[in-house]
Amino acid sequence: MHFAMPPRKTSRPPPYAVRNSRSSLNALFRRDRLRFLAVILLGCIGTIYLLGHLFSSASSEVIPAGTPLVVIVTAINKSWDPAFVEKIKKNRRDYAAQHGYTTFFPSSSDYSLRNAPLSWAKVPAMRHAMTLFPSSTYFWYLDPTAIIMNRSLSLTSHIMDKERLESLMIVNEPVVPPDSVIKTFDHLKGDRIDLVVAQDKDGLCQSGFIIRRGDWAKYFLDAWFDPLYRSYNFQKAEGHALEHIVQWHGTILAKLALIPQRTFNSYVPPPSGVKVPGVYAEGDFVANFIGCDRDKRNCADEMQPYFDHLAGKGPAESDD
Ligand SMILES: *[C@@H]1O[C@H](CO)[C@@H](O)[C@H](O)[C@H]1NC(C)=O
Ligand SMILES: *[C@@H]1O[C@H](CO)[C@@H](O)[C@H](O)[C@H]1NC(C)=O
C-alpha cells in the first residue's frame, strides 16, 4: 500500500493525526488507512475461514441436529401401478422410521438420460439425493424390485460399521467372478470405504449399493454416469459400466468393498424356476425379485406374499 503523503504529515503519530485532523489531506489519509485495515482484516478472516474449512472437512464438520444418518433412494417407474408403488415406498418408510433414516423416491423419468436405458436413472438419483441431504452420511440405493425384509437390522451395525465391514469384505478375489484379472484389495480399512456393492456369482449387483457422502462419492457417480458409458451399449447397461470403471480405475477400487450378496441383496427365484444365486432365506435383510420388471413377469404379484408376511400374514415363501 502506498501513501502519497508529505513527510511532515506522516511523521506525526497516525492515531492522533486521524482523530484530530480536519484537513482534506488527513481525511484522505484516514480513508486510505481504513481501507488498508479493512483489506488486512478481510484477508485474516478469509485465511481463518479457509483453514477452518480445510480442517473441518477433514475431521470435525458440524452436522445439523436431526440430520438423518442414512438416505434410502429408490427410483420409481411412473408407469407402474400406483398402489404397488405405494407398497414399495411404505416398505422403505417403515424401515427408515424405525432407525431414524429417511427416504427419497424420484421418478426414473425425472432425469435426462438421452437414449440410455432407464435403469441408469439410479446414478443421477443418488447425485440428486446428495444435494437434498447434504449432511447425511450414507446413501443406500435400492431398486424398486426389492423389499427390505428384516427391519431390525441397522445399516451401520449390519454393514457399515468399521469392524463389521472389514469382516464382510471379499478380499483378494476377482472383482468380476470368476476370471477377472483385477482383484479386490486386501488391506482396506472399513472406515476408508466409500462404496459398498454386493457381488453375486456373475458380477457386481448394481441393484443395491451404499455410498458414503463426500467428494469422492460425487466423483465416482460422475465417472459412472459418463456419457461415453451411457452411449456405449453395455449389455447390462449401467451394471457393466460399473464393472468396467471399478476394474480400470484403481482410485475406485481403493474405495470399494465388495460384500457377500445375501448381506443386503438376496434374490428371490422367478416363478419360472430359473436358478438365481444368493437365494433369499427367512431372516435375510433384503429380498430382491431381480428381473421381475422384465420378460412379462409381474413384480406386484410376485412380491405380494412377502408384503403379507411383513404385515404378519403368513409365510413369505409360498408352498406351491
Ligand atoms: C417402466 O415401465 C414401463 C411399462 O411397464 C416399461 O416399458 C419400462 O421399461 C419401465 N422402465 C424401467 C426403467 O423399468
Ligand atoms: C433379522 O436378522 C437378525 C440377525 O441376523 C436375526 O437374529 C433376526 O431373527 C432377523 N429378524 C427377522 C424378522 O427375520
Side-chain angles (χ1 to χ4, degrees):
M1 186 77 32
H2 173 79
F3 297 111
M5 291 294 146
R8 186 171 49 88
K9 296 282 183 190
T10 45
S11 64
R12 290 171 63 180
Y16 298 104
V18 166
R19 207 171 296 146
N20 299 333
S21 95
R22 283 196 184 82
S23 78
S24 59
L25 212 71
N26 269 335
L28 190 75
F29 175 68
R30 185 173 61 175
R31 266 214 304 281
D32 263 0
R33 262 183 67 88
L34 284 177
R35 207 171 293 157
F36 180 67
L37 284 176
V39 166
I40 296 274
L41 201 71
L42 275 177
C44 287
I45 291 173
T47 310
I48 289 168
Y49 174 81
L50 213 70
L51 285 176
H53 202 72
L54 277 179
F55 286 113
S56 74
S57 61
S59 57
S60 62
E61 168 185 353
V62 179
I63 295 186
T67 298
L69 180 71
V70 175
V71 181
I72 304 168
V73 182
T74 296
I76 297 289
N77 186 337
K78 264 191 186 150
S79 43
W80 284 10
D81 169 27
F84 170 62
V85 167
E86 202 42 51
K87 287 179 193 170
I88 298 290
K89 291 183 180 174
K90 182 178 184 305
N91 173 254
R92 275 78 171 149
R93 286 195 186 117
D94 287 349
Y95 172 73
Q98 196 156 327
H99 297 277
Y101 304 161
T102 195
T103 55
F104 176 52
F105 304 115
S107 288
S108 317
S109 51
D110 287 351
Y111 307 104
S112 156
L113 303 172
R114 304 252 166 76
N115 290 322
L118 269 168
S119 53
W120 272 99
K122 66 189 65 172
V123 187
M126 286 290 264
R127 198 73 160 77
H128 188 183
M130 285 178 189
T131 62
L132 293 178
F133 302 95
S135 298
S136 292
T137 305
Y138 302 115
F139 294 79
W140 175 19
Y141 182 81
L142 187 60
D143 260 350
T145 59
I147 307 179
I148 298 169
M149 292 300 291
N150 190 335
R151 284 188 287 239
S152 64
L153 301 174
S154 81
L155 203 68
T156 40
S157 66
H158 183 54
I159 299 176
M160 294 309 296
D161 283 346
K162 181 174 184 288
E163 277 80 27
R164 170 69 177 166
L165 192 52
E166 285 168 7
S167 76
L168 289 171
M169 279 187 223
I170 300 169
V171 298
N172 221 351
E173 291 285 338
V175 173
V176 180
D179 48 11
S180 152
V181 292
I182 311 292
K183 296 193 170 175
T184 47
F185 291 147
D186 62 359
H187 51 262
L188 299 180
K189 294 271 174 283
D191 53 355
R192 305 282 299 158
I193 293 297
D194 288 335
L195 171 66
V196 175
V197 185
Q199 190 191 44
D200 68 21
K201 72 164 188 20
D202 299 320
L204 307 185
C205 319
Q206 77 286 356
S207 48
F209 55 94
I210 302 165
I211 284 183
R212 188 199 305 266
R213 173 179 55 86
D215 289 339
W216 185 87
K218 291 179 190 157
Y219 152 74
F220 162 71
L221 290 172
D222 292 347
W224 189 3
F225 203 56
D226 191 303
L228 196 66
Y229 295 134
R230 270 179 289 152
S231 57
Y232 184 86
N233 228 329
F234 282 113
Q235 190 193 349
K236 284 193 297 177
E238 79 291 354
H240 275 171
L242 177 64
E243 286 169 2
H244 175 88
I245 56 171
V246 159
Q247 294 186 81
W248 295 109
H249 296 261
T251 47
I252 292 181
L253 203 52
K255 291 287 188 180
L256 167 76
L258 293 185
I259 64 175
Q261 189 201 332
R262 281 181 56 202
T263 316
F264 74 136
N265 209 348
S266 307
Y267 291 166
V268 178
S272 67
V274 167
K275 290 225 173 349
V276 290
V279 173
Y280 172 83
E282 179 82 40
D284 282 1
F285 191 19
V286 169
N288 190 351
F289 299 71
I290 188 99
C292 71
D293 52 349
R294 297 193 298 265
D295 307 331
K296 302 209 174 80
R297 287 169 61 182
N298 185 322
C299 291
D301 287 353
E302 290 181 34
M303 287 163 130
Q304 192 53 48
Y306 290 71
F307 285 127
D308 290 344
H309 179 63
L310 279 178
K313 290 178 280 183
E317 286 103 324
S318 53
D319 294 325
D320 54 21

